[in-house]
Amino acid sequence: MQRDRNHKNWQGWGLLLGIGIVLTTRPALANSWTPLVHTTYMHLFLGNLIIGYIEGSLLAKWFRLPRFQTVSTLILANYTSAWGGMLITVFIKSGITFLTIENIHIWQWIFAIFMFLVTLLIEYPFFQISLRKQSEATVKTVKSLLVIHGISYLLLAAWYVAQSQTSMLTQLERVPVDTLDLPGQYQLYFKSSDGVQTMQSNLTGSNIKSISLADFQTQQLTIPKEPHSPDRRLIRRGQFFDQPILKLAEDSDWDFYIRYLQGRGIAGLRNRELGQLEFEFTLETPFAHWPVRHATHLPGDFVVFQLGDDQICILHPHDRLIALVTRGREPFVVAAGDEP
C-alpha cells in the first residue's frame, strides 16, 4: 500500500512538471527555441528530478540512509537551488548596468563561481537534514555537499557551455571605436538607456547631444523600407525567418541578417541564391543573452546595431572587429545628405 501511495505521488509530480513545461515554454517558442533555451527548461523542470535522484541515491548508499526519503529530499534541494539560483540571477542582472561587450567575458566566470557558492548555501540545509542522525554530521554534510554537488554542478556547467553561443566573444576582437575607419558622412540617432531622451552623435559616439522628440521622429521618416523587399529574403530551410538588415551600402555584395530563430545573432552572405552563410556572430549564455536589434548596414560593410538592452555597437565582419559606441537603444543611421 505504501508503495502504491509513493507511486501515485510520483505520478502527481510528473503531471505537474508536464503542465509546467507546456505553460512556460510557450513564450520561448514564440520567440526563439534555441539549444540554450531548451537546456534551461530541461534543467528547470526535468533535469533537477534526474540530478536529485542520482545525488540522493549516492548519499543514501554512502551513509546507509533510507533511500526514498534521501532521494526525495535531494530532489527538492535541486529544484530549490535551481529556481532560487535563477531568480537570484535575474535579480542581480536587473541591477547591474556596467556589463558590456567589453567586459562580459570576465564577468561570466565571476557569475558562475558566485552561483556555485549560492547553490551550495541553498542545498546545505537539505544535506544536513539527511545526515542529521550521523556522527560528525556537520563534517559529513560539508564533505558530501562539496563532492556530490560539486561534480553535478561541473557537469551541468559543461552542459550549459556546450549549448551556449559565444561566437561574438570568441571570434571577434573588441577594439576602441575610434580605431575603426568609419564612413564620416553619417549621423547616429538613438534613445538613452531608459528610453526617455532622444540623442544624436557621430558614428564614434562623440559629440553626443540631446535633440527633441519631434526632430528624432523626423529623422526616422528618412529610413528606407528596403529590408522588407522579397528579393532579400532567404528561403532555404532554417533561414526563412532571418530578417534582412537595412542596407545603406548600395555597392556592397554582402547581405546581413538577424537570425531570429538562432539566438538573434547577426549573419552574412554574398550569394543569396546559394544561401550559404559565411559568418554568424551570436551571444547567448546563461548570464548574457544579448540579441541584435535595430541594425543598419553602412558603406565599408560596417554594421551599427543595438546589442542586448542598451549597447550600441559597430561590427566589421570582414576584419572580425566589434566596438562599443555608446549606451542607448533603438539606434538608426542617417546620411548627412538625407537630413531634412
Side-chain angles (χ1 to χ4, degrees), residues 26-33 260-261 264:
R26 288 180 64 186
L29 286 169
N31 294 310
S32 58
W33 187 253
Y260 271 81
L261 297 184
R264 297 190 68 173

Side-chain angles (χ1 to χ4, degrees), residues 64-133:
R64 298 181 180 179
L65 302 172
R67 184 176 181 182
F68 179 79
Q69 291 87 336
T70 306
V71 168
S72 299
T73 300
L74 291 200
I75 287 175
L76 181 59
N78 276 274
Y79 276 106
T80 303
S81 66
W83 284 90
M86 182 191 67
L87 294 175
I88 291 172
T89 300
V90 171
F91 176 77
I92 291 176
K93 287 169 60 177
S94 65
I96 293 179
T97 59
F98 60 82
L99 293 180
T100 68
I101 189 66
E102 296 178 331
N103 57 28
I104 187 60
H105 58 290
I106 298 174
W107 279 96
Q108 286 199 114
W109 293 106
I110 296 176
F111 286 145
I113 295 172
F114 172 76
M115 290 311 303
F116 173 65
L117 297 175
V118 167
T119 53
L120 279 178
L121 292 175
I122 293 175
E123 293 198 19
Y124 178 84
F126 296 92
F127 276 76
Q128 189 178 46
I129 290 173
S130 298
L131 296 169
R132 66 187 183 279
K133 296 181 180 180

Side-chain angles (χ1 to χ4, degrees), residues 65-253:
L65 302 172
R67 184 176 181 182
F68 179 79
Q69 291 87 336
T70 306
V71 168
S72 299
T73 300
L74 291 200
I75 287 175
L76 181 59
N78 276 274
Y79 276 106
T80 303
S81 66
W83 284 90
M86 182 191 67
L87 294 175
I88 291 172
T89 300
V90 171
F91 176 77
I92 291 176
K93 287 169 60 177
S94 65
I96 293 179
T97 59
F98 60 82
L99 293 180
T100 68
I101 189 66
E102 296 178 331
N103 57 28
I104 187 60
H105 58 290
I106 298 174
W107 279 96
Q108 286 199 114
W109 293 106
I110 296 176
F111 286 145
I113 295 172
F114 172 76
M115 290 311 303
F116 173 65
L117 297 175
V118 167
T119 53
L120 279 178
L121 292 175
I122 293 175
E123 293 198 19
Y124 178 84
F126 296 92
F127 276 76
Q128 189 178 46
I129 290 173
S130 298
L131 296 169
R132 66 187 183 279
K133 296 181 180 180
Q134 296 280 316
S135 60
E136 299 181 345
T138 301
V139 174
K140 292 180 179 178
T141 297
V142 173
K143 288 183 178 180
S144 60
L145 176 62
L146 288 174
V147 173
I148 294 177
H149 181 65
I151 293 174
S152 62
Y153 188 88
L154 287 175
L155 294 175
L156 195 61
W159 186 25
Y160 271 102
V161 168
Q163 302 305 318
S164 296
Q165 301 183 73
T166 60
S167 55
M168 193 170 286
L169 290 178
T170 59
Q171 298 181 25
L172 296 176
E173 179 184 356
R174 296 171 293 278
V175 298
V177 66
D178 55 11
T179 63
L180 299 175
D181 187 18
L182 300 171
Q185 69 273 29
Y186 291 90
Q187 289 292 305
L188 174 65
Y189 294 85
F190 59 96
K191 294 181 180 180
S192 57
S193 295
D194 57 10
V196 174
Q197 184 62 53
T198 48
M199 319 288 288
Q200 176 187 353
S201 76
N202 57 28
L203 291 181
T204 62
S206 58
N207 301 322
I208 296 178
K209 63 180 181 180
S210 299
I211 61 174
S212 67
L213 179 59
D215 288 342
F216 185 84
Q217 292 173 338
T218 299
Q219 296 297 336
Q220 280 184 314
L221 295 176
T222 67
I223 301 176
K225 303 301 181 183
E226 187 269 343
H228 299 289
S229 60
D231 62 328
R232 292 192 63 208
R233 289 285 184 181
L234 300 178
I235 59 175
R236 291 173 64 88
R237 182 178 179 182
Q239 299 176 356
F240 182 77
F241 292 100
D242 293 351
Q243 176 65 49
I245 289 175
L246 171 63
K247 187 174 184 179
L248 301 184
E250 298 179 356
D251 297 331
S252 175
D253 58 352

Side-chain angles (χ1 to χ4, degrees), residues 12 21 37 40 48-49 66-67 78 96 111 119 121 130 150 158 184-185 215 248 262 274 297 305 309 317 329 331 337:
I21 292 172
V37 172
T40 301
N48 288 302
L49 185 67
R67 184 176 181 182
N78 276 274
I96 293 179
F111 286 145
T119 53
L121 292 175
S130 298
Q185 69 273 29
D215 288 342
L248 301 184
Q262 299 294 329
L274 294 178
H297 179 185
F305 60 95
D309 291 332
R329 57 178 59 189

Side-chain angles (χ1 to χ4, degrees), residues 37-51:
V37 172
H38 180 265
T39 296
T40 301
Y41 281 106
M42 283 289 292
H43 173 211
L44 290 175
F45 289 101
L46 182 60
N48 288 302
L49 185 67
I50 299 173
I51 295 171

